[in-house]
Amino acid sequence: MNGGGQPASKQSMRRHNLALVLRQVAAGGSASRAAVAARVGLTKATVSSLVEELRLAGLVVEHVPENQGRVGRPGGALALNPQGAAGVGVEVNVDYTAVCVTDLTGAPRVRLTERAGNRSRDAAETLHSAGRLAARAITAARRAGLSPVQVTLGVPGLVHDDKVLHAPNLDWRHVPAADLLGRGLGRQRPPVSVDNEANLAAIGEFQARPAGAGASFLYISGEIGIGAGLMVDGTLFRGGGFAGEIGHVTVTPDGPECGCGARGCLERYAGQDALLEAAELDTVSATRLGSAPAPVPAAATRPGATRRQAVQEAPADAGAPVERLAALAADGDEAAVRALAVAGRALGVALSGAVNLLDPPEVVIGGIYARLAPWLVPSLQVQLHERVTSGRWRSDRLQVSGLGTEAAVLGAAGAGVQAILRDPSAYIDVTGPAV
Amino acid sequence: MNGGGQPASKQSMRRHNLALVLRQVAAGGSASRAAVAARVGLTKATVSSLVEELRLAGLVVEHVPENQGRVGRPGGALALNPQGAAGVGVEVNVDYTAVCVTDLTGAPRVRLTERAGNRSRDAAETLHSAGRLAARAITAARRAGLSPVQVTLGVPGLVHDDKVLHAPNLDWRHVPAADLLGRGLGRQRPPVSVDNEANLAAIGEFQARPAGAGASFLYISGEIGIGAGLMVDGTLFRGGGFAGEIGHVTVTPDGPECGCGARGCLERYAGQDALLEAAELDTVSATRLGSAPAPVPAAATRPGATRRQAVQEAPADAGAPVERLAALAADGDEAAVRALAVAGRALGVALSGAVNLLDPPEVVIGGIYARLAPWLVPSLQVQLHERVTSGRWRSDRLQVSGLGTEAAVLGAAGAGVQAILRDPSAYIDVTGPAV
């Protein structure tokens, strides 16, 4: 929008006001042009011409009452166009690949998931196959009348300039991920960008928040690694580009060695592998170590149910090892319960430090922690109450994500959509009118 | 400026552009109206009328070459007015009170320091006496032709709405600090606001940075307590209002008990009292415990020398205990050197966590750490190299503040000035033309 260093001009006013009007429409309530004008403090004539631009670009639809002519459109209800531009999210994680397409309203329209041993394949193979999965999703989305405009890839690692510098749990170093995914996508593909998985999960969590919920929170994503995303007034804080590595915050300076080379990192207490090991479970099969293989439980419950869902494959059992751990804990298994309490305590030590340093209004735990919350949260809360200064911690500042492990792929799909909502003029100026 | 939620209008354009032009003048280089116009991309006529507004309000001066008439002023060099508005900073800390007045250019013009046992007095008495010290500084500033417009008080504690909720090391709880300071200031006083001392020190550090230095860094203020300020593109990150309590980040979960009620906080390893105790020194007199009193060393060197200095009292020996510690360490005293190495290690554990989480481009250590850096930094760097993920730590990301314990009072004085530079229209609309 109108940044601090640029002079205000007519061009930047149009840009600013287009975004302002589109945000009002996105905020919902089926407002008319007149209602939008009243809310944003611009004249009806100005708003009408801005709405017309947005409508012609296919971003906004106007539902004109039946008993009314098309001239003037004084009372039509405005809404985001659910058949227009769409964002494509791809998540490559250690043991699964997921793809999601969302429309302008943020509703997921296509979802595909593939269980895959991405840790044991090389990066090119993994990304080529993820690209092919995404191509299938794009084809399905186009058949449903959508126009995918952007592919966003999420990976659990450090990302710079659409390349993955290091993803320790995938064993990737210096991988040109956008290029490799693009080869799997084939022709007529939208542009690809790459981001850290926890960053995208924080964005996904933000997009899924109900209207009126806070726009500033610290999100913690539990997977094999642990990432964090600090959301400040709806914008992700990225520091120098590599913020969010809470998995390598020290919990015990002389604790067990971590894959990163340091000692006592949070990941060694509360990462998925550490949790399974502490619960005496195999990290791949989740069978109890030293015993006969246990039956794999039924497919995980998948939170974050969708509206307007068009295409969905049966979910892969991506969460299976975690489901097994949760089932054991629910049965009162001593090792499982103890492992989760230890992880909760370590999370509490790391999170209280983050709260003391940053004072986020809320802390949201997601990824596998959403499923495991019943056994993690008690010891986590004890640490927060004990360690956050001056007794300022209140239990209700801790929230459990409703999206679980889906947050990253939803956030990735939403990223392309959000870019349009933030600056519709850039989209309009490139694509021209849709009609 | 022109925030995301407001429509752009003529009024907000004037506000935006006044600030833009004033920032250009503040950036220096004695530019003319024409040069400013070229840099900001507005017409010469627009810039000329904005400059005229700023000049009439006493914010900008124009040095017209002698061989030129006053009509048109095409080539005069623009600069901030060093005889105009000024900010007053007051710092109340555990063992001293300091006052500083800076002019619009950020130059300190009056400085007064008083050694005071603020820990053993009640808040009202401490603040009344701080108010009287500030009143003397304001009188001196007015005699020097300045107009103090704002008093900013810094305290080592949690601040909300110009009240101190809790300052553990001063033993203050729920102190209406702005009101109490105001009573000491007497009549005709500028408005008073209150902020956390580490926040102001981070602002002071930012203001003192040379042109071209980064505007994003994590600042750590070592005093009896330890505070942090995260500067993001020149704006302090405040979270929900209480960010920066790095002194209570956990270093060792089962470590020694802290005054805050938790265990193993950074302050218990690297706060001033913890350092002196570990070096076997008395925390007040800095004499070696169990031995005859040692002579107090000469007054501390005071870094951050001033330009254009008008009034300055002999500096109080506020830094005396720390000077004694530094002198012992310089002599190779074993307990002192060991205490500093332990503190450096603890700082390194806490800071590597903050770097992993936030990835600030630079980390600046200030307060007493500036003086003690030679003995802290080696063990601190070892931890940062070991614990920051993926080998991304580079030694030159750690900087030592040139301001030392003066940063907070300089930042407090600068806060009032910065508010004018950020939004000159608010100042102009209240004060009217100065002529």
Side-chain angles (χ1 to χ4, degrees), chain A residues 53 69 75 93 95 156 165 240 258 275 353 387-389 395 411 416 421 428:
Chain A
E53 261 203 86
N93 220 311
D95 45 16
L165 301 187
C258 178
L275 257 169
R387 297 185 186 276
V388 173
T389 48
S395 293
L421 295 181
I428 293 171

Side-chain angles (χ1 to χ4, degrees), chain A residues 4 6 16 23 240 244 357 359, chain B residues 4 6 16 23 240 242 244 357 359:
Chain A
Q6 297 296 320
H16 178 91
R23 264 202 303 279
L357 189 58
D359 191 32
Chain B
Q6 297 297 321
H16 178 92
R23 264 202 304 279
F242 302 109
L357 189 58
D359 191 31

Side-chain angles (χ1 to χ4, degrees), chain A residues 1-10 13 16-17 20 23 40-42 158 165-166 168 173 218 228 230 232 237-246 248-254 260-265 345 349 352-361 386-387 389-390 392, chain B residues 1-10 13 16-17 20 23 40-42 158 165-166 168 173 218 228 230 232 237-246 248-254 260-265 345 349 352-361 386-387 389-390 392:
Chain A
M1 283 359 63
N2 202 341
Q6 297 296 320
S9 66
K10 273 195 176 177
M13 274 175 68
H16 178 91
N17 290 335
L20 192 66
R23 264 202 303 279
V40 302
L42 293 165
L158 302 175
L165 301 187
H166 189 201
R173 272 191 189 276
L218 180 66
L230 178 66
V232 181
F237 177 81
R238 292 174 181 270
F242 302 110
E245 292 293 321
I246 199 170
H248 300 285
V249 164
T250 305
V251 171
T252 314
D254 300 313
C260 77
R263 288 191 163 275
C265 294
R345 180 172 195 257
V349 169
S352 59
V355 171
N356 280 329
L357 189 58
L358 299 170
D359 191 32
E386 192 176 307
R387 297 185 186 276
T389 48
S390 303
R392 285 182 304 99
Chain B
M1 287 352 65
N2 203 342
Q6 297 297 321
S9 66
K10 273 195 177 175
M13 273 175 70
H16 178 92
N17 290 335
L20 193 65
R23 264 202 304 279
V40 302
L42 293 166
L158 303 174
L165 301 187
H166 190 201
R173 271 192 189 275
L218 180 66
L230 178 65
V232 182
F237 177 80
R238 291 174 180 271
F242 302 109
E245 294 292 321
I246 200 171
H248 301 285
V249 164
T250 305
V251 171
T252 314
D254 300 314
C260 77
R263 287 190 164 277
C265 296
R345 180 173 194 257
V349 169
S352 58
V355 170
N356 280 328
L357 189 58
L358 300 170
D359 191 31
E386 191 175 307
R387 296 184 187 277
T389 49
S390 302
R392 286 183 302 99

Side-chain angles (χ1 to χ4, degrees), chain A residues 183-402:
Chain A
R183 288 182 205 170
L185 274 174
R187 278 186 299 172
Q188 293 199 311
R189 61 183 198 237
V192 179
S193 68
V194 187
D195 202 347
N196 172 275
E197 173 263 337
N199 285 348
L200 294 171
I203 292 169
E205 181 66 31
F206 173 65
Q207 289 164 1
R209 302 208 116 196
S216 297
F217 57 88
L218 180 66
Y219 176 84
I220 313 297
S221 166
E223 302 281 348
I224 299 217
I226 307 169
L230 178 66
M231 194 61 75
V232 181
D233 294 333
T235 300
L236 188 72
F237 177 81
R238 292 174 181 270
F242 302 110
E245 292 293 321
I246 199 170
H248 300 285
V249 164
T250 305
V251 171
T252 314
D254 300 313
E257 210 169 305
C258 178
C260 77
R263 288 191 163 275
C265 294
L266 175 62
E267 193 170 308
R268 289 295 286 111
Y269 300 91
Q272 181 176 314
D273 285 358
L275 257 169
L276 293 172
E277 275 165 25
E280 300 164 20
L281 297 173
D282 181 87
T283 56
V284 176
S285 65
T287 52
R288 182 126 268 166
L289 295 170
S291 71
V296 172
T301 15
R302 294 172 78 82
T306 66
R307 303 163 279 165
R308 210 191 285 271
Q309 199 152 312
V311 179
Q312 171 154 20
E313 300 209 335
D317 54 352
V322 171
E323 272 309 305
R324 169 82 182 137
L325 177 63
L328 283 169
D331 281 351
D333 178 86
E334 209 179 301
V337 170
R338 193 180 49 234
L340 286 161
V342 167
R345 180 172 195 257
L347 268 174
V349 169
L351 282 178
S352 59
V355 171
N356 280 329
L357 189 58
L358 299 170
D359 191 32
E362 292 170 61
V363 174
V364 182
I365 56 171
I368 67 168
Y369 298 147
R371 181 70 185 93
L372 300 171
W375 305 281
L376 287 169
V377 166
S379 58
L380 207 175
Q381 289 278 18
V382 166
Q383 295 300 319
L384 285 164
H385 279 284
E386 192 176 307
R387 297 185 186 276
V388 173
T389 48
S390 303
R392 285 182 304 99
W393 183 255
R394 282 188 4 219
S395 293
D396 62 1
R397 286 173 73 183
L398 183 70
Q399 315 267 324
V400 178
S401 165

Side-chain angles (χ1 to χ4, degrees), chain B residues 16-414:
Chain B
H16 178 92
N17 290 335
L18 270 173
L20 193 65
V21 168
L22 190 57
R23 264 202 304 279
Q24 275 302 324
V25 173
S30 299
S32 65
R33 296 177 183 210
V36 168
R39 276 192 221 146
V40 302
L42 293 166
T43 66
K44 280 186 211 170
T46 303
V47 167
S48 227
S49 109
L50 295 166
V51 165
E52 206 52 27
E53 261 202 86
L54 295 167
R55 202 183 61 78
L56 289 173
L59 297 175
V60 159
V61 285
E62 192 164 27
H63 301 285
V64 183
E66 285 193 13
N67 59 351
Q68 200 179 288
R70 286 184 64 86
V71 180
R73 304 173 184 275
L78 299 166
L80 292 175
N81 180 8
Q83 295 303 105
V88 182
V90 181
E91 182 192 2
V92 170
N93 220 313
V94 176
D95 45 15
Y96 63 92
T97 300
V99 177
C100 178
V101 182
T102 60
D103 64 30
L104 271 182
T105 73
R109 300 287 290 278
V110 181
R111 298 166 106 156
L112 302 172
T113 310
E114 206 171 68
R115 176 129 193 168
N118 291 333
R119 202 176 342 202
S120 54
R121 298 201 283 185
D122 79 4
E125 194 187 335
T126 295
L127 286 165
H128 193 268
S129 134
R132 293 185 58 164
L133 193 69
R136 279 175 51 205
I138 289 171
T139 303
R142 286 187 177 141
R143 276 198 206 115
L146 295 164
S147 306
V149 293
Q150 168 77 36
V151 176
T152 305
L153 168 66
V155 288
L158 303 174
V159 175
H160 180 66
D161 260 356
D162 298 326
K163 292 180 186 66
V164 178
L165 301 187
H166 190 201
N169 292 321
L170 286 166
D171 202 15
W172 289 6
R173 271 192 189 275
H174 301 287
V175 171
D179 286 354
L180 292 171
L181 188 84
R183 287 181 207 170
L185 275 175
R187 277 186 299 174
Q188 293 198 313
R189 61 183 197 236
V192 179
S193 68
V194 187
D195 202 347
N196 172 274
E197 172 262 340
N199 284 349
L200 294 172
I203 292 170
E205 181 66 30
F206 173 64
Q207 290 165 0
R209 302 206 118 197
S216 298
F217 57 89
L218 180 66
Y219 175 84
I220 313 298
S221 166
E223 301 281 347
I224 300 220
I226 306 169
L230 178 65
M231 193 63 73
V232 182
D233 295 332
T235 300
L236 188 72
F237 177 80
R238 291 174 180 271
F242 302 109
E245 294 292 321
I246 200 171
H248 301 285
V249 164
T250 305
V251 171
T252 314
D254 300 314
E257 211 169 304
C258 178
C260 77
R263 287 190 164 277
C265 296
L266 175 61
E267 193 170 307
R268 289 296 285 114
Y269 300 91
Q272 181 177 313
D273 285 358
L275 257 169
L276 293 171
E277 275 165 24
E280 299 164 21
L281 296 173
D282 181 88
T283 56
V284 177
S285 64
T287 52
R288 182 126 269 166
L289 294 171
S291 72
V296 171
T301 17
R302 294 171 77 82
T306 66
R307 303 162 280 166
R308 210 191 285 272
Q309 198 152 313
V311 179
Q312 173 153 19
E313 300 210 337
D317 55 350
V322 171
E323 272 308 305
R324 169 83 183 137
L325 177 62
L328 283 169
D331 281 352
D333 178 88
E334 207 178 299
V337 169
R338 191 179 53 232
L340 287 161
V342 167
R345 180 173 194 257
L347 269 174
V349 169
L351 283 177
S352 58
V355 170
N356 280 328
L357 189 58
L358 300 170
D359 191 31
E362 293 170 60
V363 174
V364 182
I365 57 171
I368 67 169
Y369 298 148
R371 180 69 184 93
L372 300 171
W375 304 280
L376 288 169
V377 166
S379 57
L380 207 175
Q381 289 279 18
V382 166
Q383 295 300 317
L384 285 164
H385 280 285
E386 191 175 307
R387 296 184 187 277
V388 172
T389 49
S390 302
R392 286 183 302 99
W393 183 255
R394 280 188 5 218
S395 293
D396 63 1
R397 285 174 74 183
L398 183 69
Q399 313 268 327
V400 178
S401 164
L403 302 176
T405 53
E406 306 247 296
V409 76
L410 286 169

